[in-house]
C-alpha cells in the first residue's frame, strides 16, 4: 500500500463521513454546510481520478453555486424547522435503510466486476481531434462529438429559468428577481465587490480560453463570472435586471441560439447538422463558447436570484 | 424496429429528424426573446410547421425501408450521436404533433397574452413547445444519454405547467412531481453509467449488438426500468400523478396526461425491445404487468370514488398507464425469448389511443369546468343541454377509450387478446377485459350524471368558445377512427385485423364491457345519482343493496390503501422494492 | 486497492446514503440535498468508469467526463427549480410539508370547497 | 539542487499542514465565534501561504508560480472579508457563540 492509496482511502473516508453527517444531522443548516464541504472534497476525488475538467465543474457549480443556493434556502426556511418534525416511523426508516443499502451493495459489486480491459472511447477522441483544432478532449466531446447533448442542456437551463420565473406572482411579473440587497456602500463587502470582479472576470475568460487545449471551458468560466455578478448584487452595488428586459432575454438565449444557428448552417451548407467545416472549426466553436459563457453566467446568476419579486421601478 | 446491422450512414430524408427537434427548440428560443406579446404568434407559427414535419416523416418512412437515420455532426456512433426513426417513432411523432396542435387550438383562448397577466401565457406557450421538442427528441434519439437529457427537458417543461396557477396545492404537487421525477432520472442515469462501463457505448443500435446477459447489464436494466416507471407513474409509484394532473390548467393536464407520461414509457419500450431485446426476461415482464394490473384496479376503483371530474380523469390515467404495461409479458414466447412484435404494436397503439382520447377528455372537462365554475360530478345534471359539444367530445373520447369499434383502443385490445391466446397467458386476457370494463364504468358514470335532466336551468359562469369544443371533438374523433388507419406500414400489426373490427362477434365483444361497466359504476360509485328517486332505481337498489354496500366498503379500503401508498416514504420504499424485485427476477431468469 | 476500488465503493455508498435521505428525511430541503448527494454518487460512477477506460495518453476517458459535466449542470438547474418551488410554497402556504393530508388538515375547510 | 528544492517543499508544506491542523483544532475546540474565526483565518492565511511557498520551487516556470501566488492572494482577500462579515454578524446578533 503506497502513500497515494493511503491518501485516497483517507479522502474517501472523510467524504463518506461528511455524506453520513449531511444525511443524519437533525439541523438543516448544518446539513447544508456539510454538503458544501462534501462537494469541495468530491472535487478532490475528481482530481485523483484524473478528470480535472469535472473537478473544476464540480467545485464551481456543484459545491460553490449549488452550496450558495442551498444555504440561501436553508436560511430562509430556518423558521419552519420546528414545524416540520413529523418524521417517518422507525419501521419506515429501517426498511428504507435496508433497501438503500442493498441497492448500494448491488452497485458496488457491479462497479467492481466491470470488465477488464475496460472499453473506452479515448483513442477515438484522439483520432478525431484534428477535425476541431482543439486539444482538450472534453471540450471536443462537448462541443463537437456530442454537441446535441450540450445544446439541449442549454435549453434545459433556459427552461429552468422559465420555470423559476413562472413562480412569480402576477403582480411581480416582469420585475426584478430576488430581494434587494442592502449593504453599507463603504463596508467591507462593497469593497470586495469592487476589488474582486475585475480579477474574477479575467479568470473566468481565461478559463474559457484555456479550455480549448487545457482543462476548463464555458461551464467553469461561466460559473466564475456568475459568482462575480452575484457578489456585486449581494453588495448592493447593482440590482438584478428586470425579467422583462429584452437585452437580458437576448443574452439568455445567445448560447443555445448561436449553437442552433451554427448547427443549421452545417445542415444547409456543410456536411451535417452541427458539423463544423474543418477550416473554421476552432473559431466557430470558440464563438459558440463565448456566447455560452455569457448565457451560462447570466443563467446561473438568475437561477440563484430566484423568481421575480419586485416591480421593475422600485 | 431497428435495423439488424447498425446503420452508420445518414439516410435520405434524415434531415427531417433534425428539423423535428430543431423547430420546436427554435420556437422556444424565439418565444423567449420576443416575449409576452408575441409568444402565442410564435407558437401558432411553429405548430403547423411541426405538424407538417411529423407527417413528412410519416410519408417518407415507408419509402426509405422503414428507417430514417441521421448522424449529428456526421460523427458516427459510438463517438457521435445518431438520430433514428422507425415505425414506432413515426407514429409517436405524428400523434404528438396532432395532440399538441389540438391543445394549442384549445388553449388559444385560455392563454391569450394580456398586458396585465402575462405570466401564465408566457410560460405556457414556451413550455408547450419545449415539451414538444423534448418528446420528439425522445422518439428519435439513438443514444441513451441524449435520451436522459431529453427526459430532463421533458420534466423541466412539465413541472412548471403543474403549478401554473400558483395555488399552494399545485405548488406542492409540482414539487412532489419534480422530486420524484428527479429520483427516477437519477436511477436511469445510474444504469447508463453501468452500460457505458460495460460496453463503451451508449448508442442503442450498437448496444443491441453488444449486450449479453451479464449480471451488470441486468442490474442496469432494473435500475433504468424503475427510474422510468417512476417517471411514467406506474402503480405503486404514482404519488405525484393525481394531484399534478388534476391541479394543472385543463390544456396543461391534457398534455401531461396524454403525452408526458408516454415519453418515459417510450424509452422503456426502447430499452426492453431495442437496447436489450428480451434480455430482462419473462419473469420481470410478468412483474411489470402485475404492477399494471394493480394500477388498473387501484386507478379505476379510486377514480369511481372521486367527486371531482378532473381527479376522476387523473385517476383513470393511472389505470390506463397500467393497461400499457400488459403488453410486456405478451411479447415473450413460452421459451422466455422475445418473440412477438404484435404485442408491442398493441401496446403502442393503446398509447396512441390513450393520448388522443385522454387529451380530448381533459379538454372537454376543462370546457365544462370553465362553463360551470366547478367540476363536481354530482352537479353535472343538465350540463349536456348547456354545453352539448363539450359533453359530446367527452362521450366520444370515452367511447373510443373503452374499446368500441373502430377505435384504436379496440384494435389494440384485439391484438393483445390474440397474443394472450397465442402465448397461453389467459390471466392477462381477464385483466384486459376488466380494464375495458372499468374504463366503461367511469365513462358511463360521468355520462349518466351529465345526461340527466336538471330541475333548474344551468347558469354558465364562463364563456364557451366554439374553437375549444371543436378541438376536443376532433381529437376524440381521431381516437375513435384510429382503428381504420393503415397501421401495417408502421407497426408490426397484421393488416387484416382492422377488417375484423366489424361484425356480429364485434357487437358481442362490445356488449360485455358495457354491461359490466354499468354494473361496476352502480356498485362502486358512492355518489347519489340524479335518478336516485325514481322507482326503477329504488327497485334496483333493493336487489343489489347488500352487494353495493360490500363493494363500497371494498372501494373505501382501496382508497385508503391508495392514500397510504401515495405517502412520500411509502412510495420511496416501493420504488426501491420494485427495483430490487426487478433485478432479482431478471437475475433469476438468466 | 486502487483508486478505482476505493472511490467506486465511495460512489456506491453515496448513492445509498442519497437514496435513504431522499426517502426518510421529512423536510423537502433535506430531500433536495439528498438528491444532490445521490447525483454526485452517480457522477462519481461515471468517473470510475472513465478512469478504468484510461487510454491514449488520457488518465480518464473524456466521453464520460463530458457526460458528467452536462449532468452536473442539469442537476444544478433541477436544484434551483426545486428550491424556487419550495420557497414559493413556503411563501404562500407558510409551511413546506409535502404531505398533502397534513396540509389539508391544517387548512380550516369544513365544507370541502 | 533538486534536493534543496525538495527540502524547501517538504518544509513548507509541513509547516502549512501544521497550521491547518492547528486551525482546525481551534475551530472545533474554541468556545465562541470570534475565537474560532481567529483560529480559522490563521489556518487559512498562514497554512495556505506555507503550502504555496513550499510548492513554488516545484513549478515549471514563472507563469505557474504567479498562478499559485495569485491563488493565495485571492484566498487572503476572500478570507479576510468573510471573517470580517461573520464577526460583524456575530457581534450584531449578540450570539457570540
Amino acid at each position: 500500500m503506497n502513500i497515494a492509496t493511503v491518501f485516497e482511502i483517507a479522502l474517501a473516508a472523510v467524504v463518506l463521513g461528511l455524506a453520513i453527517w449531511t444525511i443524519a444531522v437533525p439541523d438543516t443548516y448544518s446539513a447544508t454546510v456539510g454538503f458544501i464541504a462534501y462537494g469541495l472534497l468530491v472535487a478532490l476525488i475528481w482530481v485523483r481520478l484524473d478528470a480535472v475538467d469535472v473537478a473544476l465543474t464540480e467545485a464551481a457549480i456543484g459545491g460553490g453555486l449549488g452550496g450558495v443556493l442551498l444555504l440561501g434556502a436553508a436560511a430562509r426556511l430556518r423558521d419552519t424547522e420546528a414545524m416540520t418534525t413529523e418524521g417517518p416511523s422507525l419501521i419506515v426508516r429501517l426498511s428504507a435503510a435496508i433497501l438503500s443499502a442493498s441497492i448500494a451493495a448491488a452497485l458496488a459489486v457491479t462497479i467492481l466486476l466491470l470488465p477488464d480491459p475496460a472499453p473506452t472511447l479515448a483513442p477515438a477522441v484522439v483520432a478525431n481531434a484534428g477535425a476541431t483544432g482543439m486539444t482538450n478532449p472534453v471540450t471536443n466531446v462537448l462541443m463537437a462529438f456530442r454537441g446535441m447533448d450540450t445544446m439541449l442542456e442549454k435549453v434545459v437551463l433556459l427552461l429552468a429559468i422559465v420555470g423559476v420565473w413562472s413562480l412569480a406572482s402576477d403582480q411581480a411579473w416582469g420585475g426584478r428577481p430576488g430581494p434587494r440587497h442592502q449593504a453599507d456602500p463603504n463596508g467591507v463587502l462593497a469593497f470586495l465587490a469592487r476589488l474582486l470582479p475585475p480579477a474574477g472576470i479575467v479568470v473566468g475568460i481565461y478559463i474559457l480560453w484555456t479550455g480549448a487545449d487545457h482543462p476548463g471551458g464555458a461551464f467553469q468560466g461561466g460559473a466564475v463570472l456568475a459568482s462575480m455578478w452575484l457578489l456585486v448584487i449581494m453588495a448592493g452595488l447593482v440590482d438584478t435586471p428586470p425579467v422583462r428586459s429584452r437585452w437580458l432575454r437576448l443574452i439568455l438565449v445567445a448560447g443555445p441560439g448561436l449553437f442552433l444557428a451554427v448547427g443549421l448552417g452545417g445542415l444547409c451548407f456543410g456536411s451535417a447538422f452541427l458539423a463544423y467545416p474543418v477550416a473554421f472549426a476552432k473559431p466557430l466553436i470558440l464563438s459558440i463558447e463565448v456566447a455560452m459563457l455569457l448565457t451560462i453566467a447570466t443563467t446561473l446568476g438568475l437561477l440563484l436570484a430566484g423568481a421575480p419579486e419586485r416591480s421593475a421601478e422600485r | 424496429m431497428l435495423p439488424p446491422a447498425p446503420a452508420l450512414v445518414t439516410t435520405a430524408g434524415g434531415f427531417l429528424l433534425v428539423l423535428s427537434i430543431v423547430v420546436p427548440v427554435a420556437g422556444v428560443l424565439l418565444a423567449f426573446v420576443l416575449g409576452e406579446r408575441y409568444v402565442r404568434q410564435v407558437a401558432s407559427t411553429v405548430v403547423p410547421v411541426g405538424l407538417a414535419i411529423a407527417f413528412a416523416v410519416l410519408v417518407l418512412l415507408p419509402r426509405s425501408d422503414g428507417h430514417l437515420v441521421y448522424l449529428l455532426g456526421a460523427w458516427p456512433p459510438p463517438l457521435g450521436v445518431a438520430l433514428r426513426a422507425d415505425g414506432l417513432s413515426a407514429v409517436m411523432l405524428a400523434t404528438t404533433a396532432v395532440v399538441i396542435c389540438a391543445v394549442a387550438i384549445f388553449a388559444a383562448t385560455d392563454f391569450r397574452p394580456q398586458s396585465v397577466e402575462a405570466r401564465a401565457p408566457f410560460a405556457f406557450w414556451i413550455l408547450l413547445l419545449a415539451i414538444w421538442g423534448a418528446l420528439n427528441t425522445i422518439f428519435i434519439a439513438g443514444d441513451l444519454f441524449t435520451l436522459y437529457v431529453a427526459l430532463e427537458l421533458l420534466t423541466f417543461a412539465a413541472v412548471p405547467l403543474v403549478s401554473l396557477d400558483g395555488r399552494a396545492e399545485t405548488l406542492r404537487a409540482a414539487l412532489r412531481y419534480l422530486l420524484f421525477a428527479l429520483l427516477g432520472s437519477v436511477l436511469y442515469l445510474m444504469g447508463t453509467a453501468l452500460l457505458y462501463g460495460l460496453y463503451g457505448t451508449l448508442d442503442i443500435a450498437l448496444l443491441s449488438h453488444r449486450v449479453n446477459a451479464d449480471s451488470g447489464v441486468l442490474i442496469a436494466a432494473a435500475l433504468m426500468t424503475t427510474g422510468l416507471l417512476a417517471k411514467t407513474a406506474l402503480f405503486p409509484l404514482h404519488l405525484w400523478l393525481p394531484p399534478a394532473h388534476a391541479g394543472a390548467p385543463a390544456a396543461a393536464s391534457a398534455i401531461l396526461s396524454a403525452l408526458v407520461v408516454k415519453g418515459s414509457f417510450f424509452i422503456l419500450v426502447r430499452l426492453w425491445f431495442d437496447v436489450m431485446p428480451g434480455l430482462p426476461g419473462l419473469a420481470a415482464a410478468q412483474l411489470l404487468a402485475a404492477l399494471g394490473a394493480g394500477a388498473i384496479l387501484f386507478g379505476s376503483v379510486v377514480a369511481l370514488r372521486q367527486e371531482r371530474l378532473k381527479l376522476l380523469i387523473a385517476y383513470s390515467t393511472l389505470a390506463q398507464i397500467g393497461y400499457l404495461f400488459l403488453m410486456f409479458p405478451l411479447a415473450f414466447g413460452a421459451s422466455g425469448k422475445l418473440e412477438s412484435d404484435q404485442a408491442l404494436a398493441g401496446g403502442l397503439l393503446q398509447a396512441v389511443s390513450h393520448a388522443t382520447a385522454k387529451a380530448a377528455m381533459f379538454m372537454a372537462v376543462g370546457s365544462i369546468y370553465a362553463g360551470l365554475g366547478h367540476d363536481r360530478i354530482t352537479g353535472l345534471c343538465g350540463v349536456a343541454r348547456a354545453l352539448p359539444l363539450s359533453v359530446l367530445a367527452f362521450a366520444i373520447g370515452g367511447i373510443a377509450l373503452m374499446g368500441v369499434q373502430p377505435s384504436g383502443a379496440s384494435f389494440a385490445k384485439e391484438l393483445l387478446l390474440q397474443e394472450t391466446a397465442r402465448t397461453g397467458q389467459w390471466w392477462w386476457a381477464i385483466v384486459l377485459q376488466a380494464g375495458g370494463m372499468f374504463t366503461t364504468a367511469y365513462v358511463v358514470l360521468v355520462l349518466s350524471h351529465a345526461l340527466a335532466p336538471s330541475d333548474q336551468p344551468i347558469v354558465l359562469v364562463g364563456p364557451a368558445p366554439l374553437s375549444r369544443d371543436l378541438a376536443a371533438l376532433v381529437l376524440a374523433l381521431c381516437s375513435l377512427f384510429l382503428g381504420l388507419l393503415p397501421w401495417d406500414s408502421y407497426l408490426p400489426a397484421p393488416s387484416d385485423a382492422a377488417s375484423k373490427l366489424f361484425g356480429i362477434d364485434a357487437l358481442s365483444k362490445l356488449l360485455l364491457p358495457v354491461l359490466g361497466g354499468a354494473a361496476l359504476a352502480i356498485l362502486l360509485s358512492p355518489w347519489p345519482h340524479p335518478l336516485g328517486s325514481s322507482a326503477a332505481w329504488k327497485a334496483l337498489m333493493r336487489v343489489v343493496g347488500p352487494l353495493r354496500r360490500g363493494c363500497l366498503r371494498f372501494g373505501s379500503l382501496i382508497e385508503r390503501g391508495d392514500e397510504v401508498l401515495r405517502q412520500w416514504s411509502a412510495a420511496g420504499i416501493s420504488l426501491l422494492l420494485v427495483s430490487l424485485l426487478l433485478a432479482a427476477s431478471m437475475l433469476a431468469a438468466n | 486497492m486502487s483508486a478505482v476500488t476505493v472511490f467506486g465503493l465511495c460512489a456506491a455508498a453515496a448513492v445509498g446514503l442519497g437514496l435513504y435521505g431522499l426517502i426518510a428525511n421529512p423536510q423537502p430541503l433535506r430531500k433536495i440535498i439528498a438528491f444532490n448527494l445521490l447525483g454526485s454518487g452517480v457522477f462519481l460512477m461515471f468517473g470510475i468508469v472513465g478512469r478504468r477506460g484510461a487510454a491514449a495518453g488520457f488518465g480518464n476517458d473524456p466521453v464520460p467526463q463530458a457526460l458528467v459535466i452536462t449532468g452536473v449542470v442539469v442537476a444544478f438547474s433541477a436544484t434551483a427549480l426545486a428550491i424556487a418551488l419550495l420557497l414559493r410554497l413556503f411563501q404562500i402556504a407558510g409551511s413546506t410539508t409535502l404531505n398533502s393530508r397534513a396540509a389539508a388538515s391544517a387548512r380550516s375547510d369544513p365544507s370541502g370547497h | 539542487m533538486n534536493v534543496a528544492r525538495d527540502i524547501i517543499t517538504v518544509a513548507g508544506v509541513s509547516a502549512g499542514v501544521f497550521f491547518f491542523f492547528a486551525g482546525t483544532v481551534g475551530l472545533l475546540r474554541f468556545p465562541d465565534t470570534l475565537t474560532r474565526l481567529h483560529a480559522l483565518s490563521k489556518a487559512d492565511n498562514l497554512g495556505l501561504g506555507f503550502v504555496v511557498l513550499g510548492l513554488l520551487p516545484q513549478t515549471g516556470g514563472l507563469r505557474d508560480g504567479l498562478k499559485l501566488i495569485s491563488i493565495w492572494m485571492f484566498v487572503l482577500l476572500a478570507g479576510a472579508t468573510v471573517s470580517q462579515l461573520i464577526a460583524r454578524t456575530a457581534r450584531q446578533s449578540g450570539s457570540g457563540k
Side-chain angles (χ1 to χ4, degrees), chain A residues 188-252:
Chain A
V188 61
L189 188 60
F191 174 67
L192 185 71
R194 288 195 183 94
L195 194 62
L196 201 53
I201 291 170
V202 171
V203 171
I205 295 174
Y206 169 75
I207 291 179
L208 170 81
W209 177 253
T210 193
D213 299 319
H214 302 284
F219 296 97
Q220 298 89 342
V224 173
L225 291 192
S227 58
M228 290 304 118
W229 191 34
L230 283 168
L231 178 64
V232 181
I233 290 175
M234 278 183 202
L237 295 183
V238 300
D239 202 353
T240 46
V243 304
R244 201 187 292 120
S245 153
R246 189 61 53 87
W247 275 108
L248 180 68
R249 303 259 177 106
L250 267 177
I251 291 176
L252 285 174

Side-chain angles (χ1 to χ4, degrees), chain A residues 88-89 91-93 95-103 106-107 109-111 113-115 118-122 124-125 128-129 131-132 141 144-171 173-174 243-246 248-250 252-253 256-258 260 264 266-267 271-276, chain B residues 10 15 18-19 21-22 25-26 28-36 38 70-75 78-81 83 116-120 122-123 126-127 130-131 137 143-147 149-150 152-154 156-157 160 163-164 171 187 190 193-194 196-202 210 214-217 219-220 223 569-570 572-577 579-580:
Chain A
S89 67
I91 301 172
V92 169
R93 276 191 231 184
S95 42
I98 292 170
L99 292 171
S100 312
S102 0
I103 292 203
L107 276 181
V109 170
T110 315
I111 293 173
L113 292 183
L114 283 176
T120 176
L121 287 177
V125 172
N128 290 296
T132 61
V141 175
F145 309 139
R146 302 190 67 100
M148 189 66 165
D149 292 353
T150 311
M151 192 198 78
L152 287 178
E153 176 246 295
K154 289 288 143 335
V155 183
V156 168
L157 276 176
L158 185 69
L159 282 191
I161 288 278
V162 173
V164 170
W165 285 2
S166 80
L167 296 169
S169 63
D170 280 325
Q171 293 80 35
W173 177 250
V243 304
R244 201 187 292 120
S245 153
R246 189 61 53 87
L248 180 68
R249 303 259 177 106
L250 267 177
L252 285 174
V253 300
L258 190 61
L260 201 65
L264 283 175
L267 181 68
S271 53
F273 182 69
L274 288 177
Y276 310 102
Chain B
T10 297
F15 71 94
V18 175
L19 288 186
I21 297 176
V22 164
V25 167
V28 168
L29 301 182
L30 205 60
F32 188 83
V33 172
L34 291 182
E36 294 79 344
Y38 301 102
Y70 193 88
L71 305 184
L72 291 167
W75 298 108
L79 192 56
V81 175
L83 301 178
V116 264
E117 284 182 16
R119 179 188 61 90
F122 175 75
I126 289 181
L127 296 173
I131 283 183
T137 313
D143 183 281
L144 290 178
F145 190 79
T146 309
L147 283 176
V149 179
E152 291 295 50
L153 200 58
L154 190 62
F156 277 59
S163 60
L164 211 52
L171 286 169
L187 288 179
M190 259 183 238
L194 293 181
Y196 187 87
L198 284 161
Y199 300 112
T201 180
L202 292 172
R210 295 187 189 175
D214 200 6
S215 65
V217 176
I219 286 178
L223 290 170
S569 44
I573 287 174
S574 321
L575 179 90
L576 299 185
L577 258 182
S579 66
L580 287 174

Side-chain angles (χ1 to χ4, degrees), chain B residues 24 33 195 268 547:
Chain B
V33 172
L195 284 181
L268 192 65
L547 185 58

Side-chain angles (χ1 to χ4, degrees), chain A residues 3 35-36 61 76 122 134 150 156 160 202 292 300:
Chain A
I3 184 104
F35 178 73
I36 294 172
I61 296 183
R76 281 172 89 164
M134 314 224 260
T150 311
V156 168
V202 171
M292 273 181 21
L300 295 179

Side-chain angles (χ1 to χ4, degrees), chain C residues 1-97:
Chain C
M1 279 228 279
S2 65
V4 169
T5 315
V6 175
F7 295 135
L9 292 175
C10 187
V15 167
L17 283 167
L19 282 175
Y20 172 78
L22 198 49
I23 292 169
N25 270 332
Q27 299 102 321
L29 187 58
R30 299 294 295 270
K31 288 190 206 298
I32 296 172
I33 296 176
F35 158 73
N36 276 293
L37 201 65
L38 178 57
S40 93
V42 177
F43 297 144
L44 274 180
M45 280 169 56
F46 273 104
I48 305 296
V49 163
R51 177 69 187 167
R52 292 170 47 86
F58 297 137
N60 200 312
D61 186 352
V63 173
Q65 288 189 58
L67 303 185
V68 169
I69 290 178
T70 306
V72 166
V73 177
V74 170
F76 174 80
S77 14
T79 309
L81 184 57
I83 281 181
L85 270 169
L86 181 60
L87 290 177
R88 181 73 178 150
L89 177 64
F90 175 61
Q91 196 184 354
I92 285 188
S95 84
T96 59
T97 175

Side-chain angles (χ1 to χ4, degrees), chain B residues 399-410 480 510 514:
Chain B
I399 287 171
L401 205 51
M402 64 180 151
V404 172
Q405 287 77 357
S407 72
S410 73
L480 188 60
L510 175 63
V514 170

Side-chain angles (χ1 to χ4, degrees), chain B residues 241-247 299 302-318 362 365 375 377 566:
Chain B
L241 188 142
H245 285 194
V302 180
L304 287 172
R305 297 179 62 82
Q306 295 305 317
E307 194 191 9
R308 285 192 45 218
L309 202 46
K310 279 187 94 174
L311 265 173
L312 185 151
I313 310 283
Y315 268 103
S316 86
T317 298
L318 185 60
F362 257 119
V365 170
D375 64 343
I377 289 172
R566 284 198 293 111

